[in-house]
């Protein structure tokens, strides 16, 4: 069965590559047309996509899905349409003196790579399929998408809609389980984009390496929140709560743990509690609050909390309506704050990806900086405070994929900023001009003037005075 799917995928890859070679260079009006079709697909079928996302999760607000997966992605497509002509323009480059005077020219052309594979995850299944697709199209490529099996209904509808709006040699979707994903990641693409866990990212990169396929890995990690002494803890708490509770914390950039001053720990926790209660006065029947995607993910989160409790953490459930979560199969989980955490707890050893929030304390901000630097580089990093010198110290002394100051998550929603990780949180990026270049080949082109430059520069044997002069000039 898997071999049949592999053969089908390889056949589509050959078809797309052949069409790309025949059409090359992909004209800008065709690239624009593909992006416009993708935007139209999202606009016309956004409600249907939101319904199947809600069905896949068990509960997920259609309005949340509309803003995070549909409207935001369509808007990103419009951003690409506005900027792609500028991105695609060849860049003139400098040539060494006196070659420019003699008529030599140098430029870089950003050319399509060919066929790009997109392995997308379940947490934002439309955004993380169609977002990269917009820039894949802008750069003049064709695409093959393997969406997650955890959001099966969304994946099937995505496949139907792509088949309605695109020919198979432009864009194709392949559904299936881990075996299909493994076969997909071994295909000889011209580029491969993967969004998911660091552990799976390693496997994808290993599979892609068999064909020397370049990869963009959007992974995750434990994104820290630094709260400075000068932070407004009520406002900061509300903003952390928003980022942690959206999609029930199932976001690669969700704040993973708080780092707060020792003297302010209760104030910081109270701020998060109040912020959560204001946005989610109840949870079980609240359509705004998402379910955990599967029983397996839910059980893993429960185990993280149990492990922390067993090892001495104080467990604080933010349950404003005092609801009973024990007799429901809705897979809803209240925000669970863990105080007095230690390094031997699972909560501090793995990405949480759910509504569990450990809180650490520091006596001095340098202690927090050192802790973050001793661990894997995170995808996101957040600083709250009005002390600009302290904020700059945190930024200059740490490394992360991206940063939001005095809020969380928002750097990823800035279309013109590159989004990506560093080290175990990923490599490469999309959004901004950087995304266009990620899916392009930067091709260097040098044009030689009529004069015999090799002889003039001492490169042509027999070597002699001209060579010695060239060496001395370069060594000055």
């Amino acid at each position: 069965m898997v071999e049949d799917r592999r053969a089908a995928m390889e056949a589509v890859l050959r078809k797309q590559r052949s069409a790309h070679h025949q059409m090359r260079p992909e004209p800008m009006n065709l690239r624009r047309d593909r992006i416009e079709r993708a935007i139209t697909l999202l606009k016309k079928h956004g409600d249907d996509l939101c319904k199947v996302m809600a069905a896949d999760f068990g509960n997920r607000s259609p309005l949340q899905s509309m803003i995070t997966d549909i409207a935001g992605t369509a808007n990103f497509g419009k951003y690409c349409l506005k900027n792609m002509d500028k991105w695609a323009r060849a860049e003139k480059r400098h040539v060494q003196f006196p070659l420019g005077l003699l008529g030599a020219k140098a430029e870089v052309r950003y050319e399509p790579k060919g066929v790009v594979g997109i392995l997308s995850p379940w947490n934002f299944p439309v955004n993380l399929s169609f977002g990269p697709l917009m820039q894949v199209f802008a750069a003049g490529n064709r695409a093959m998408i393997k969406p997650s099996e955890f959001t099966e209904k969304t994946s099937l509808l995505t496949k139907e809609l792509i088949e309605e709006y695109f020919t198979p040699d432009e864009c194709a979707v392949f559904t299936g389980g881990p075996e299909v994903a493994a076969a997909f990641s071994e295909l000889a693409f011209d580029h491969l984009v993967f969004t998911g866990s660091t552990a799976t990212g390693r496997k994808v990169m290993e599979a892609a390496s068999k064909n020397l396929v370049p990869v963009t890995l959007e992974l995750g990690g434990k994104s820290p929140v630094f709260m400075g002494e000068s932070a407004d803890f009520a406002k900061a708490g509300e903003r952390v709560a928003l980022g942690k509770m959206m999609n029930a914390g199932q976001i690669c950039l969700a704040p993973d743990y708080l780092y707060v001053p020792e003297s302010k720990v209760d104030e910081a926790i109270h701020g998060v509690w109040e912020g959560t209660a204001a946005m989610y006065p109840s949870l079980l029947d609240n359509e705004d609050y998402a379910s955990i995607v599967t029983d397996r993910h839910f059980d893993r989160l429960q185990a993280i909390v149990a492990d922390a409790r067993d090892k001495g953490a104080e467990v604080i459930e933010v349950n404003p309506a005092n609801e009973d979560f024990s007799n429901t199969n809705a897979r809803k989980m209240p925000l669970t704050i863990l105080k007095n955490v230690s390094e031997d707890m699972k909560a501090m050893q793995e990405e949480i990806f759910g509504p569990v929030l450990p809180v650490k304390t520091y006596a001095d901000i340098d202690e927090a900086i050192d802790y973050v630097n001793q661990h894997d580089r995170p995808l996101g990093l957040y600083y709250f405070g009005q002390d600009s010198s302290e904020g700059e110290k945190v930024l200059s002394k740490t490394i992360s994929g991206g940063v939001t100051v005095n809020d969380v998550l928002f750097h990823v929603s800035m279309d013109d900023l590159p989004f990506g990780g560093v080290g175990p949180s990923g490599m490469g990026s999309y959004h901004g001009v950087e995304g266009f270049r990620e899916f392009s080949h930067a091709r260097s082109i040098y044009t030689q003037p009529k004069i015999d430059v090799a002889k003039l520069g001492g490169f042509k044997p027999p070597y002699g005075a001209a060579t010695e002069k060239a060496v001395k000039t370069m060594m000055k």
Side-chain angles (χ1 to χ4, degrees):
M1 179 68 175
V2 175
E3 288 307 313
D4 292 342
R5 300 299 298 279
R6 184 193 300 271
M9 291 189 291
E10 288 175 343
V12 171
L13 176 58
R14 287 193 298 271
K15 180 183 287 188
Q16 289 199 3
R17 183 165 287 135
S18 174
H20 176 73
H21 287 318
Q22 289 172 17
M23 185 66 71
R24 190 176 176 89
E26 300 273 352
M28 296 302 289
N29 62 347
L30 180 55
R31 302 185 197 187
R32 274 190 289 272
D33 177 62
R34 288 175 182 151
I35 295 172
E36 286 165 355
R37 275 183 275 155
I39 293 171
T40 300
L41 182 160
L42 293 172
K43 287 182 175 180
K44 284 193 173 181
H45 302 280
D47 288 339
D48 293 333
L49 286 163
C50 290
K51 285 175 186 173
V52 292
M53 281 186 271
D56 278 328
F57 273 77
N59 184 81
R60 191 186 201 236
S61 165
L63 283 173
Q64 182 218 292
S65 294
M66 188 59 73
I67 195 165
T68 59
D69 280 77
I70 308 301
T73 311
N75 207 47
F76 181 63
K78 290 190 285 185
Y79 162 80
C80 292
L81 288 173
K82 182 179 178 181
N83 290 280
M84 56 192 289
D85 286 332
K86 177 176 62 179
W87 295 337
R89 211 171 287 148
E91 289 182 358
K92 289 185 178 179
R93 296 294 179 94
H94 176 74
V95 295
Q96 293 93 316
F97 180 84
L99 293 173
L101 297 176
L102 300 173
K105 295 177 183 177
E107 67 175 15
V108 175
R109 294 182 186 175
Y110 294 97
E111 299 184 347
K113 287 188 170 181
V115 181
V116 179
I118 300 173
L119 266 167
S120 58
W122 53 264
N123 58 328
F124 293 100
V126 176
N127 178 299
L128 295 173
S129 297
F130 282 82
L133 183 64
M134 298 296 186
Q135 288 198 303
V136 166
F137 281 158
N141 302 290
R142 287 144 196 268
M144 293 169 59
I145 303 171
K146 165 59 182 76
S148 173
E149 66 275 13
F150 288 127
T151 41
E152 185 178 11
K153 294 179 178 68
T154 307
S155 296
L156 289 171
L157 182 55
T158 299
K159 179 179 172 63
E160 288 175 22
L161 293 173
I162 288 291
E163 288 173 352
E164 179 182 340
Y165 281 80
F166 298 94
T167 59
D169 64 2
E170 290 180 304
C171 186
V173 176
F174 298 89
T175 58
E179 303 85 3
V180 175
F184 187 90
S185 61
E186 290 180 349
L187 295 175
F189 294 114
D190 299 296
H191 196 100
L192 178 61
V193 185
F194 168 77
T195 307
S197 71
T198 300
T200 306
R202 287 191 175 97
K203 294 177 183 175
V204 169
M205 189 172 183
E206 183 180 356
S209 71
K210 294 174 184 176
N211 290 302
L212 295 179
V213 175
V215 293
T216 301
L217 301 178
E218 302 295 354
L219 308 177
K222 300 186 73 61
S223 297
V225 178
F226 289 80
M227 288 194 178
E229 290 272 0
S230 62
D232 179 333
F233 288 92
K235 186 180 290 184
E238 182 180 48
R239 293 178 178 185
V240 167
L242 174 63
K244 191 65 174 176
M245 295 294 278
M246 179 183 283
N247 215 39
Q250 297 165 112
I251 305 176
C252 57
L253 277 168
D256 198 274
Y257 63 97
L258 296 190
Y259 226 140
V260 302
E262 288 174 346
S263 61
K264 303 283 189 178
V265 60
D266 291 331
E267 189 177 350
I269 290 173
H270 183 70
V272 175
W273 204 103
E274 288 286 324
T276 303
M279 289 182 285
Y280 303 94
S282 66
L283 297 171
L284 279 178
D285 295 321
N286 188 340
E287 192 180 58
D288 289 343
Y289 189 55
S291 298
I292 305 304
V293 69
T294 66
D295 290 340
R296 182 167 68 85
H297 287 81
F298 183 84
D299 292 344
R300 184 185 66 83
L301 290 166
Q302 295 295 316
I304 286 174
V305 174
D307 172 76
R309 183 184 279 111
D310 291 346
K311 292 173 181 172
E314 180 183 344
V315 178
I316 303 167
E317 274 195 3
V318 184
N319 184 3
N322 292 316
E323 294 169 286
D324 183 2
F325 288 83
S326 62
N327 295 316
T328 175
N329 59 1
R331 293 195 306 273
K332 285 200 172 183
M333 181 177 178
L335 176 62
T336 306
I337 299 170
L338 304 178
K339 190 178 176 185
N340 302 323
V341 293
S342 55
E343 290 309 292
D344 62 338
M345 297 175 184
K346 290 179 183 176
M348 296 310 299
Q349 294 173 350
E350 58 188 69
E351 183 180 5
I352 291 171
F353 222 72
V356 179
L357 184 64
V359 180
K360 288 179 67 67
T361 61
Y362 64 82
D364 183 89
I365 197 74
D366 288 328
E367 180 186 336
I369 290 170
D370 288 345
Y371 177 86
V372 171
N373 285 338
Q374 287 161 11
H375 292 78
D376 288 345
R377 292 167 179 174
L379 184 61
L381 182 147
Y382 308 113
Y383 172 79
F384 287 88
Q386 303 308 312
D387 184 338
S388 58
S389 61
E390 180 185 73
E392 186 55 39
K393 183 178 187 179
V394 170
L395 298 193
S396 62
K397 294 282 189 179
T398 57
I399 300 173
S400 69
V403 174
T404 296
V405 176
N406 285 322
D407 213 326
V408 299
L409 305 184
F410 271 87
H411 63 278
V412 72
S413 63
M414 299 300 108
D415 293 337
D416 210 37
L417 285 178
F419 167 60
V422 56
S425 60
M427 63 178 65
S429 59
Y430 60 97
H431 296 181
V433 65
E434 289 81 4
F436 178 87
R437 292 182 177 176
E438 186 86 354
F439 305 129
S440 301
H441 169 55
R443 192 179 190 185
S444 303
I445 300 170
Y446 171 74
T447 303
Q448 193 74 288
K450 292 179 180 178
I451 193 168
D452 190 346
V453 170
K455 183 176 181 180
L456 183 68
F459 289 100
K460 184 181 288 187
Y463 300 124
T467 310
E468 291 175 0
K469 182 181 179 182
V471 170
K472 285 180 182 178
T473 300
M474 285 188 275
M475 295 293 283
K476 279 184 181 177

